[in-house]
Amino acid sequence: MRESLAVLNERLLETDRLKSEFIESASHELRGPVTAVEGALSVMERHLEDSFGGLDDISRELMEIAMTGSDRMVALVDNLLDLTRIEAGAVSIEREEVDVGRLVEEVVKLYEAVAREKDLELVADVPVEGLTAEADPQALARVLDNIVGNAVKYTGRGSITVGAREEDGSIHFTVKDTGRGIPEQNLSEIFNKFSRVHLATEHEERGTGLGLSISKGLVEAHGGTIRAESELGKVSTFHAVIPKQAPGR
Ligand code: ADP
């Protein structure tokens, strides 16, 4: 019995490894053509603008559909490549002193327009100055970008608060929204790749189920942790905690 469980476990690991290998090679192969389409579309738009003084309404609409689609494909392929790098333990964290308050404010600014459009209140709750961490600013921005982006995406009305504070040698980021919430049984699985609780029914809820798994990998590469808590239909809060200084210092 014990032996067959071990064999089953080994098979599952092998299947998982083959799946990861397939995703990695497929994304590498796709990166070239997908980027070529994206580049060709923007050159074509400029060419039509220069040669014919612009596009008629129907052509413009079709061009926008093609460009949005190709942007999403490039983003998806980039996410898949990042994920395979994270899974292979090959993600490199370039630490420097990061002004945490400013970082939060920058990410909040990115989503201000979308939040306004949805009539959501979006606020940064951070100390005016002096909150710093020894971290990778790009990786941290990516994590916050994913979590705040989700909060805006999955909140129909109310508010989103993005906070950061220092406690016991760690920096605690919190993103709280008054959105649709996450069922208790899904709270940890949403950090697995391709895991989606809310299936796309509307345009703005499209997604790939990769953002949180990438965020988890980036937070863990800092020696930190990430988790979510939620009251269904009322509120979701994401907590990302990283050491203020590089572990071992
Ligand atoms: P996606 O591209 O689908 O948003 P993520 O990995 O970022 O992928 O998130 C995984 C899933 O977690 C989402 O599909 C959604 O069901 C759920 N989720 C994430 N953030 C929130 C949130 N703030 N409120 C409700 N559900 C959320």
Side-chain angles (χ1 to χ4, degrees):
M1 179 70 179
R2 180 169 291 198
E3 203 175 321
S4 58
L5 269 181
V7 170
L8 186 65
N9 206 15
E10 222 162 87
R11 285 217 187 112
L12 284 175
L13 284 175
E14 175 66 1
T15 313
D16 210 43
R17 196 184 56 74
L18 289 173
K19 219 163 56 181
S20 296
E21 256 180 39
F22 169 73
I23 291 173
E24 183 175 8
S25 57
S27 346
H28 269 295
E29 293 302 318
L30 279 172
R31 185 77 176 67
V34 158
T35 317
V37 172
E38 189 188 43
L41 282 172
S42 65
V43 173
M44 185 156 87
E45 189 187 35
R46 230 175 306 132
H47 170 72
L48 291 172
E49 201 74 54
D50 294 345
S51 311
F52 304 103
L55 298 170
D56 60 53
D57 288 350
I58 292 178
S59 312
R60 177 167 308 283
E61 198 179 318
L62 291 172
M63 181 65 101
E64 271 165 18
I65 291 171
M67 285 176 120
T68 309
S70 82
D71 284 351
R72 289 189 56 219
M73 273 195 289
V74 171
L76 171 61
V77 169
D78 281 348
N79 276 341
L80 284 170
L81 285 170
D82 285 343
L83 193 67
T84 49
R85 239 174 265 137
I86 287 170
E87 283 185 333
V91 58
S92 68
I93 292 296
E94 313 269 340
R95 290 181 195 269
E96 57 182 80
E97 180 158 295
V98 179
D99 181 334
V100 173
R102 190 178 321 150
L103 187 83
V104 167
E105 269 159 10
E106 279 169 7
V107 174
V108 164
K109 206 163 265 159
L110 273 184
Y111 285 96
E112 258 167 15
V114 197
R116 207 175 310 122
E117 222 169 87
K118 291 182 77 176
D119 212 12
L120 297 172
E121 190 189 352
L122 173 60
V123 285
D125 178 15
V126 285
V128 180
E129 55 184 40
L131 188 60
T132 58
E134 217 175 85
D136 183 323
Q138 275 171 357
L140 279 193
R142 182 105 187 264
V143 171
L144 285 179
D145 190 353
N146 280 329
I147 303 177
V148 177
N150 280 343
V152 173
K153 186 159 62 168
Y154 298 108
T155 301
R157 67 194 150 115
S159 63
I160 294 147
T161 311
V162 190
R165 65 178 200 281
E166 186 176 336
E167 204 179 290
D168 300 332
S170 297
I171 302 292
H172 290 231
F173 294 95
T174 47
V175 180
K176 182 174 178 180
D177 68 61
T178 59
R180 54 177 61 194
I182 302 155
E184 168 116 42
Q185 69 270 23
N186 300 115
L187 281 175
S188 51
E189 100 192 12
I190 52 172
F191 294 98
N192 296 341
K193 61 187 170 189
F194 304 117
S195 167
R196 305 203 69 214
V197 183
H198 309 105
L199 294 180
T201 47
E202 296 169 44
H203 176 73
E204 72 265 26
E205 291 189 2
R206 280 197 183 137
T208 55
L210 291 177
L212 287 180
S213 51
I214 291 174
S215 301
K216 181 170 188 274
L218 293 174
V219 169
E220 287 176 351
H222 279 84
T225 56
I226 188 167
R227 69 185 174 87
E229 55 186 7
S230 180
E231 231 183 296
L232 200 56
K234 285 194 180 149
V235 56
S236 304
T237 311
F238 282 77
H239 301 266
V241 182
I242 57 157
K244 183 172 161 65
Q245 290 189 316
R249 288 196 38 171

